[in-house]
Amino acid sequence: MSQPAGSEAQRQNYSGVQDQERAAPPKEHGSDVLSGLEEEDEADETDDVQKGKRKHVSLLLCHWHRREDPSQAWMAENRGTQERKRTCTCVGIGLVYALMASLLFSVIALLAKKIEGVHAVEISAIRCFFQMLFVLPALIYYKIGFLGPRNQRIFLFLRGFLGAGAMILFFYAVQQMPLADSTVIVFSNPVFTVVLAWIFLKEKCTIWDFIFIIFTLAGVVLIARPPFLFGSHAAGMDGEYTNHIKGTVASFLGAVCVASTFVVLRKMGMSVHYYLSVWYYAVVGFIQCMIVLVIIQDWSLPFCGIDRWLLILIGLLGVCGQTLITKALQHEKAGPVALVRTVDVVFAFILQFIFLNQSPTWWSLGGALCVIGSTSGVALRKWVQSIRKR
């Protein structure tokens, strides 16, 4: 049979197409899809690089913002570089700061004793006012909030209320009894701090702590010299015995307030800036003093210009003393600083003898030895415990 001519032409065309396909390079199945995926992968890699760059820049900006936040920067620097700063500074510089702070606080008590005709609450209000003036620029410069973290405000308020209360009670005790005796009783606060930390913070309290408490109470009794133990006429009293008892009670309550303040500060820890804590102390204390002055109606200016300058000096020395004690705690452990602070009692006896012409009695010296021994024992035990934990 003969085939049609059209079929021969179709066959030739088909064979030509096959030759062209054989001559062309082989193309794998799905090569178009793979090439598209490769182009998308290259685009994704470019996007990933750009995203990584943006993430790196954002991290740098966040780090820069954290550096601009003074409270966060202060806490980070204190956590990470505190040990390095200690090694770079002079050995024992923290103890020198503590010694200078003790001297300033003793001078403040002496000035409060020398001022006449001004209530202790008014002296405390003036000191808080000057402290506000000095702390306010620091808060503005470091861009620290005036209220602090929301979850710490109640503790900041308690810190200010208890700290100001301790200051008022101490100044009142200084005006009612000998300077050294009131200083000794107020300085017994480390023993009460152990008890309050055991109650509220669930910290361990050993038999040694109770022994120190007994010695402290014995020292307070030797200084107070109640009539049912020492007779109706005890020697070495500064003024009437009623005032001496008032001063003793105020000093004892002041020591409890100081111990409570330490417990509150320990509860807050490093979560708030130091300037913020001092700011609450000044503001809450000033408001507290003004309310008390309105109630008792006992606001009066000093009789002479010297007393007015002494009031200003009390405010300035108070700020300097708190700054020094803070620097001491930044460079040294709390145990050695607490031991150096026992020199407050020695300074009080010396200043009382030189400027007030008052010689301490044997009862006062015995009570001072009991209190100093107890506070030194507490500080040494805490220091040894901190060393063993490392």
Side-chain angles (χ1 to χ4, degrees):
M1 292 177 61
S2 62
Q3 297 178 351
S7 61
E8 183 67 20
Q10 291 178 356
R11 191 166 47 251
Q12 290 179 358
N13 291 335
Y14 177 73
S15 62
V17 171
Q18 286 182 342
D19 293 337
Q20 289 179 0
E21 290 178 353
R22 283 192 297 266
K27 181 180 290 187
E28 297 179 358
H29 178 71
S31 60
D32 294 334
V33 177
L34 290 176
S35 62
L37 290 176
E38 288 177 357
E39 292 176 358
E40 290 179 0
D41 289 338
E42 292 178 356
D44 291 339
E45 290 177 359
T46 305
D47 292 338
D48 290 337
V49 172
Q50 293 178 355
K51 290 180 180 178
K53 290 181 179 180
R54 287 195 298 268
K55 184 178 181 181
H56 180 68
V57 173
S58 63
L59 289 175
L60 290 177
L61 290 175
C62 292
H63 176 70
W64 181 76
H65 284 297
R66 286 197 299 268
R67 295 291 296 176
E68 286 296 314
D69 187 1
S71 60
Q72 297 293 334
W74 176 80
M75 288 186 286
E77 290 175 0
N78 275 273
R79 291 193 189 100
T81 64
Q82 189 174 12
E83 295 295 333
R84 186 172 67 254
K85 288 181 179 179
R86 288 177 182 172
T87 58
C88 294
T89 55
C90 299
V91 178
I93 189 65
L95 302 181
V96 175
Y97 286 144
L99 185 63
M100 295 172 62
S102 299
L103 179 60
L104 290 183
F105 289 138
S106 300
V107 172
I108 290 173
L110 175 65
L111 297 179
K113 182 75 174 178
K114 294 288 291 183
I115 297 175
E116 297 180 357
V118 180
H119 200 276
V121 181
E122 184 177 348
I123 298 175
S124 303
I126 294 175
R127 177 179 173 180
C128 291
F129 176 75
F130 279 98
Q131 189 164 313
M132 288 170 55
L133 293 181
F134 277 88
V135 176
L136 182 60
L139 293 177
I140 297 175
Y141 178 78
Y142 290 106
K143 299 179 181 179
I144 303 173
F146 292 96
L147 297 179
R150 186 179 298 274
N151 59 340
Q152 298 293 333
R153 291 174 185 174
I154 182 63
F155 298 110
L156 287 169
F157 175 79
L158 289 176
R159 183 265 183 276
F161 181 80
L162 294 172
M167 177 179 56
I168 295 172
L169 291 169
F170 176 64
F171 286 157
Y172 179 79
V174 166
Q175 292 180 344
Q176 300 298 325
M177 66 186 302
L179 172 63
D181 293 350
S182 59
T183 303
V184 169
I185 298 175
V186 172
F187 196 76
S188 63
N189 62 82
V191 180
F192 300 110
T193 303
V194 174
V195 178
L196 294 177
W198 173 53
I199 296 174
F200 295 102
L201 301 181
K202 308 302 179 182
E203 294 185 0
K204 186 178 180 181
C205 187
T206 63
I207 187 63
W208 284 106
D209 295 320
F210 288 102
I211 293 175
F212 294 146
I213 293 172
I214 294 174
F215 269 91
T216 300
L217 295 177
V220 173
V221 170
L222 290 176
I223 293 174
R225 298 189 292 280
F228 64 89
L229 292 177
F230 295 86
S232 58
H233 299 285
M237 295 296 178
D238 185 15
E240 298 181 359
Y241 183 73
T242 305
N243 295 334
H244 189 87
I245 290 297
K246 291 180 181 178
T248 302
V249 174
S251 300
F252 189 83
L253 294 177
V256 175
C257 287
V258 173
S260 303
T261 303
F262 288 159
V263 172
V264 173
L265 290 174
R266 190 177 300 176
K267 179 68 176 179
M268 290 190 298
M270 300 288 291
S271 58
V272 296
H273 198 280
Y274 163 72
Y275 284 128
L276 188 61
S277 177
V278 178
W279 170 253
Y280 266 83
Y281 173 81
V283 173
V284 176
F286 182 75
I287 297 174
Q288 181 180 351
C289 292
M290 296 305 297
I291 293 175
V292 175
L293 287 174
V294 171
I295 294 174
I296 64 177
Q297 294 294 323
D298 197 0
W299 176 271
S300 61
L301 292 176
F303 296 121
C304 63
I306 297 178
D307 288 345
R308 298 174 186 178
W309 286 107
L310 292 181
L311 287 173
I312 297 175
L313 187 59
I314 286 176
L316 297 178
L317 293 180
V319 176
C320 295
Q322 288 194 357
T323 303
L324 287 173
I325 198 64
T326 304
K327 296 290 291 183
L329 292 173
Q330 289 177 351
H331 290 83
E332 192 58 70
K333 294 183 180 296
V337 173
L339 288 176
V340 174
R341 286 299 308 275
T342 57
V343 185
D344 284 29
V345 178
V346 178
F347 284 144
F349 277 109
I350 294 174
L351 295 177
Q352 175 181 283
F353 179 76
I354 294 176
F355 295 98
L356 302 177
N357 197 20
Q358 293 179 353
S359 300
T361 63
W362 290 106
W363 298 113
S364 297
L365 292 176
L369 289 177
C370 289
V371 173
I372 292 176
S374 301
T375 55
S376 300
V378 171
L380 283 173
R381 194 178 69 84
K382 293 294 184 182
W383 187 13
V384 171
Q385 289 179 350
S386 64
I387 293 176
R388 289 178 179 177
K389 289 180 181 179
R390 292 191 303 173

